[in-house]
Structures are given as C-alpha cells and as structure tokens.
Amino acid sequence: MARPDKAAAVAELTDKFRSSNAAVLTEYRGLTVAQLKTLRRSLGENAQYAVVKNTLTKIAANEAGITLDDQLFAGPTAVAFVTGDPVESAKGLRDFAKDNPNLVIKGGVLDGKALSADEIKKLADLESREVLLAKLAGAFKGKQTQTAQLFQALPSKLVRTVDALRAKQDEQGGAE
C-alpha cells in the first residue's frame, strides 16, 4: 500500500492537472534558487511552478486522464501549472530559457492534449488572448465602418444617377 504522504502528493498533483488549462514540464538542473524564484515571477500570476517527483507526477497525470511520453520524466522535473492564459506562461518560460540555458522545456499539455517542446515554443510565439481579442474587435469595427460607408454610398449614387437621367431627358426634350 502507498504511503499516505505519497498518496496525498499524487492527489494534489492530480488536482493541479485537472484544474489547469496547461502544464509545461521542464528540466531545471543547474538553476539556483534565486533563478527559480525569478522564473516563478516571470510566469505571471496565473501559473504555479513546482519541482515534482517524476514517478508521482506520471501517476497523477494518468489519474487526471493525461497521457504523457515517458521521456518527459527523465531527469529532474518541474512543472508549470497554468490556470490562466497559457501563452503568457509559455512566453515567460521561453524568455527565461533564452537567458538561462539550464532551463530545458521538455513538453507539456494544453487542454488535455500533449504538446512537444517545439509546440510550446510555437505557443509562446502567439500573441496574448487580450491582443488577439483587441485585433478581432478592431477588424469588426473596420468592417462596420466599411458597411456604413457602403450604405451611405448607395443613396448618394442613386441620387446622382437619377439627376443624370433627368438631365439627359431634359437635353433630349430640349433637342426635339
């Protein structure tokens, strides 16, 4: 039978996997405590970065219904559990890894789907949710402006056409 402390740790990790939008597994070998503290700050408010035991994390992921590659659990592992915008946390990890090559992004999970390290880096290249929503709102506003101009142009064109027809009729009527 499993020890109570290990069972509690698995239950806590399972909860974190279930309640998170995303989880990113990293190798942190060679990072100092101060660097880990800086990394935690760079992830944003909606992410928790925790050093975990590989075996317990693998069990917790399976219990949460997430299938991860066994290679992700080689070496010392820490997991960033993201409850908010995964793009913000992925950018934080990517930027920190650029400055600190000892941090290696192994892979992760987004909404239950396993991601490779390259896919997480592509996720980091996306703009944040707020920026994308602002661009979408701007596009809608632009389309509304174009539509309003079109509706204003139709009556104006109609009036010009009617005036041109009237002028042509006047010319033809005056020529007879």
Side-chain angles (χ1 to χ4, degrees):
M1 182 164 177
R3 292 190 351 218
D5 56 335
K6 288 186 179 183
V10 168
E12 182 181 349
L13 288 170
T14 302
D15 268 353
K16 285 184 179 182
F17 273 115
R18 286 184 179 147
S19 64
S20 299
N21 299 338
V24 180
L25 282 79
T26 63
E27 183 174 325
Y28 63 93
R29 187 185 328 226
L31 293 176
T32 65
V33 172
Q35 288 172 322
L36 287 173
K37 193 174 185 179
T38 303
L39 172 60
R40 284 184 174 102
R41 272 190 247 117
S42 72
L43 291 177
E45 297 176 6
N46 298 323
Q48 288 183 320
Y49 190 73
V51 174
V52 294
K53 293 196 176 285
N54 288 332
T55 307
L56 300 181
T57 305
K58 188 175 179 181
I59 292 168
N62 286 334
E63 285 184 10
I66 299 168
T67 305
L68 294 171
D69 189 12
D70 288 340
Q71 293 176 354
L72 296 178
F73 298 103
T77 303
V79 182
F81 293 101
V82 184
T83 54
D85 184 12
V87 174
E88 178 186 354
S89 297
K91 283 182 187 205
L93 285 167
R94 179 200 59 197
D95 295 344
F96 187 86
K98 283 180 185 176
D99 297 334
N100 300 282
N102 287 335
L103 180 74
V104 178
I105 298 173
K106 297 179 181 183
V109 144
L110 176 64
D111 294 327
K113 180 188 177 283
L115 298 176
S116 68
D118 289 336
E119 290 172 321
I120 291 172
K121 289 174 185 166
K122 287 179 186 175
L123 180 66
D125 291 337
L126 290 176
E127 293 174 330
S128 70
R129 183 177 190 272
E130 289 77 20
V131 171
L132 291 174
L133 288 173
K135 284 185 175 184
L136 182 63
F140 281 142
K141 184 177 179 186
K143 292 296 179 192
Q144 287 176 341
T145 303
Q146 288 175 343
T147 304
Q149 290 171 348
L150 175 68
F151 286 137
Q152 288 174 347
L154 289 175
S156 169
K157 189 173 182 179
L158 177 65
V159 168
R160 285 193 306 268
T161 305
V162 169
D163 283 344
L165 284 173
R166 188 175 299 136
K168 188 174 181 180
Q169 285 179 348
D170 289 346
E171 284 176 18
Q172 289 175 354
E176 288 178 16

